[in-house]
């Protein structure tokens, strides 16, 4: 998830917007490269979103489905699921490469990317865009919400029963390691999936509004344009938060991050000593 989020952050602001604003005539503005960047933006964003769904489902199985946990929650299953999600999301995003055409051609070199006229007129493109928007983020939004509700219901019911049982046996309340682990799971689960829901909700509402009204921004001062770019900013921010949440809540993640940071320094020390 951290790698997918990082790639989403790199492809969108760094490869797309920084060249447009500060380096308008760079090689990234050549149409085939520009189209490839757009493909990467859609694919990495989709992978990031669906890995969040997979993570939420993984927490649901771990907490609510004890029988399935031993079979599903394994490293091999995780690797297969991550690879499958990445491949399927990349394949689904391939048509976005062919949506664009050059804005102008200079010395037989195509520059910039604009939507083809057929994108607005052909039913096939309309159906594809609708399918893509439903697949990301509408379906993930409701799946995460549903899984979270079921997980919370299970945790609350199990916690009440466990507190009652421990109180009946011991006659008093003591620190319960199992309850502490559940609290940590709840914090991690709601930090990641909750931030996803909050940061994507503007994008979803704006897309539904556009779908129903068929209204599009006419200028940079148009409130619709301001809403659109704000929704895009919040959506991109969603890809930034997961790595930060992992760093704050996961002890093992912090330890691995420290190893990565220390590795170049340790290598330099070894070279100096040798």
């Amino acid at each position: 998830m951290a790698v997918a989020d990082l790639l989403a952050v790199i492809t969108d602001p760094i490869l797309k917007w920084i060249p447009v604003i500060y380096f308008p005539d760079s090689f990234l503005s050549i149409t085939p490269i520009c189209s490839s960047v757009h493909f990467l933006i859609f694919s990495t964003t989709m992978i990031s979103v669906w890995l969040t769904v997979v993570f939420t489902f993984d927490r649901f199985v771990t907490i609510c489905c004890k029988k399935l946990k031993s079979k599903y929650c394994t490293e091999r299953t995780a690797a297969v699921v991550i690879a499958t999600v990445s491949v399927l999301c990349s394949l689904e995003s391939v048509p976005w490469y062919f949506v664009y055409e050059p804005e102008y051609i200079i010395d037989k070199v195509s520059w910039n990317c604009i939507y083809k006229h057929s994108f607005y007129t052909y039913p096939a493109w309309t159906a594809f865009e609708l399918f893509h928007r439903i697949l990301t983020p509408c379906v993930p939004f409701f799946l995460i919400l549903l899984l979270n509700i079921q997980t919370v219901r299970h945790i609350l019911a199990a916690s009440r029963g466990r507190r009652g049982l421990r109180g009946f046996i011991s006659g008093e309340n003591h620190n319960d390691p199992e309850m502490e682990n559940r609290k940590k799971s709840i914090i991690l689960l709601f930090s990641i999936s909750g931030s996803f829901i909050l940061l994507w909700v503007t994008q979803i509402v704006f897309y539904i509004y556009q779908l129903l009204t068929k209204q599009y921004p006419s200028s940079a001062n148009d409130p619709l344009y301001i809403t659109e770019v704000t929704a895009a900013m919040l959506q991109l921010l969603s890809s930034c938060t997961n790595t930060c949440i992992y760093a704050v809540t996961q002890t093992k993640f912090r330890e691995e991050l420290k190893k990565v940071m220390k590795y170049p320094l340790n290598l330099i020390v070894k070279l100096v000593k040798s």
Side-chain angles (χ1 to χ4, degrees):
M1 283 180 68
V3 171
D5 293 334
L6 183 61
L7 288 174
V9 172
I10 289 173
T11 54
D12 202 322
I14 296 178
L15 294 182
K16 179 184 177 182
W17 289 110
I18 289 179
V20 168
I21 297 171
Y22 297 104
F23 309 102
D25 298 324
S26 70
F27 72 97
L28 290 172
S29 298
I30 298 174
T31 302
I33 298 177
C34 177
S35 298
S36 299
V37 169
H38 281 88
F39 158 73
L40 289 174
I41 291 171
F42 282 106
S43 59
T44 53
T45 301
M46 196 170 183
I47 291 170
S48 172
V49 168
W50 278 96
L51 285 183
T52 305
V53 176
V54 170
F55 168 80
T56 308
F57 180 74
D58 182 83
R59 294 296 87 194
F60 170 76
V61 171
T62 302
I63 295 170
C64 303
C65 309
K66 297 299 181 183
K67 292 182 180 179
L68 184 60
K69 177 182 175 181
S70 59
K71 295 181 180 180
Y72 180 81
C73 298
T74 63
E75 289 186 12
R76 186 175 184 277
T77 302
V80 171
V81 170
I82 291 169
T84 303
V85 168
S86 301
V87 170
L88 291 178
C89 291
S90 298
L91 291 175
E92 194 277 341
S93 301
V94 167
W96 287 109
Y97 177 87
F98 302 98
V99 165
Y100 303 96
E101 64 182 3
E103 185 177 8
Y104 49 84
I105 299 174
I106 301 176
D107 295 331
K108 297 182 180 180
V109 178
S110 304
W111 290 92
N112 293 343
C113 291
I114 58 173
Y115 285 113
K116 294 178 179 177
H117 179 69
S118 59
F119 180 72
Y120 299 101
T121 57
Y122 280 23
W125 281 122
T126 304
F128 168 72
E129 185 187 17
L130 180 62
F131 173 75
H132 179 82
R133 299 299 181 184
I134 290 174
L135 202 59
T136 305
C138 294
V139 172
F141 186 90
F142 290 108
L143 281 177
I144 289 173
L145 199 59
L146 178 63
L147 289 170
N148 279 346
I149 291 171
Q150 295 299 322
T151 303
V152 170
R153 287 179 60 186
H154 180 87
I155 289 174
L156 293 177
S159 298
R160 283 195 297 266
R162 188 174 180 86
R163 280 197 299 267
L165 181 62
R166 285 178 63 84
F168 175 77
I169 293 173
S170 63
E172 56 183 4
N173 291 325
H174 297 285
N175 290 331
D176 187 350
E178 179 66 21
M179 293 297 294
E180 293 299 321
N181 288 334
R182 287 179 184 176
K183 287 180 182 179
K184 290 180 180 179
S185 294
I186 292 174
I187 292 171
L188 181 60
L189 175 68
F190 277 92
S191 296
I192 291 179
S193 54
S195 68
F196 172 85
I197 291 172
L198 290 173
L199 294 173
W200 272 91
V201 68
T202 308
Q203 183 83 289
I204 293 173
V205 172
F206 180 75
Y207 174 70
I208 293 173
Y209 172 80
Q210 276 194 325
L211 194 66
L212 296 176
T213 63
K214 303 298 182 182
Q215 294 185 17
Y216 299 92
S218 58
S219 67
N221 296 322
D222 191 330
L224 279 179
Y225 177 78
I226 296 171
T227 304
E228 183 178 21
V229 295
T230 302
M233 181 191 69
L234 292 174
Q235 171 236 302
L236 187 61
L237 185 61
S238 173
S239 298
C240 305
T241 55
N242 287 351
T243 307
C244 298
I245 291 169
Y246 270 134
V248 171
T249 60
Q250 291 286 78
T251 304
K252 290 183 179 180
F253 186 89
R254 292 198 300 270
E255 291 174 355
E256 293 299 321
L257 195 61
K258 288 177 182 178
K259 289 180 182 179
V260 172
M261 300 296 290
K262 289 180 180 179
Y263 181 78
L265 297 176
N266 293 335
L267 200 60
I268 293 171
V269 170
K270 287 182 180 179
L271 289 173
V272 170
K273 288 183 178 179
S274 62

